Amino acid sequence: MRILVVDDDAMMLTAISKKLEEKKYEVSTTTDAVEALQILSEEKIDLVISDVIMPCISGLTFLTMLKNFYYSKVPLILISSYNQESIIMKAHSLGANYFLSKPIDYNQLILKIEEFTSDVS
């Protein structure tokens, strides 16, 4: 499974990708949604993990673009340090498959990814 991680925080990108690579997932990373769309157009991506709060294009706008215009079947997990109910509800209404609050519970993240893996198989 190939996973794209989008987060403007380089340390968060490194932490997430390291945990995923330990589980033998192939990981691509980027710090912005524009580049993420470019990666999606060039590579086969099975799952996207994106931060909500990012400069230029927010994770919610990226989610909308992903679901409405580009790759509607690619599951997307949103992550955020803001776990306000309104953001979570908005994310789900826009098509997010899962929402995870920071600090990330990596066991929970891996379990959710494994669910998507079994759905793809």
Side-chain angles (χ1 to χ4, degrees):
M1 175 177 253
R2 186 154 190 83
I3 301 172
L4 173 61
V5 182
V6 187
D7 196 316
D8 61 319
D9 181 339
M11 287 178 46
M12 182 60 66
L13 276 181
T14 300
I16 294 171
S17 62
K18 191 176 207 179
K19 289 289 186 184
L20 297 176
E21 288 168 350
E22 286 173 6
K23 294 293 186 179
K24 307 300 184 213
Y25 292 112
E26 294 179 53
V27 181
S28 295
T29 62
T30 183
T31 56
D32 71 77
V34 174
E35 187 176 346
L37 293 171
Q38 183 67 35
I39 291 169
L40 282 160
S41 72
E42 296 171 353
E43 300 178 24
K44 182 189 181 311
I45 300 295
D46 301 300
L47 176 84
V48 176
I49 300 170
S50 176
D51 189 17
V52 171
I53 308 299
M54 295 186 293
C56 298
I57 297 177
S58 75
L60 294 175
T61 301
F62 173 59
L63 167 62
T64 301
M65 294 168 75
L66 186 75
K67 294 296 181 178
N68 291 334
F69 303 110
Y70 294 95
Y71 306 94
S72 61
K73 302 226 185 291
V74 176
L76 187 129
I77 297 173
L78 281 176
I79 56 174
S80 181
S81 54
Y82 299 100
N83 65 352
Q84 297 170 340
E85 189 65 29
S86 61
I87 292 175
I88 296 168
M89 289 176 57
K90 180 76 170 173
H92 286 298
S93 73
L94 292 172
N97 299 87
Y98 195 65
F99 188 94
L100 197 59
S101 296
K102 293 179 183 177
I104 294 175
D105 177 337
Y106 288 102
N107 291 327
Q108 187 178 9
L109 178 62
I110 297 300
L111 284 172
K112 188 49 71 174
I113 291 170
E114 288 172 354
E115 280 182 34
F116 289 122
T117 303
S118 66
D119 290 346
V120 171
S121 304

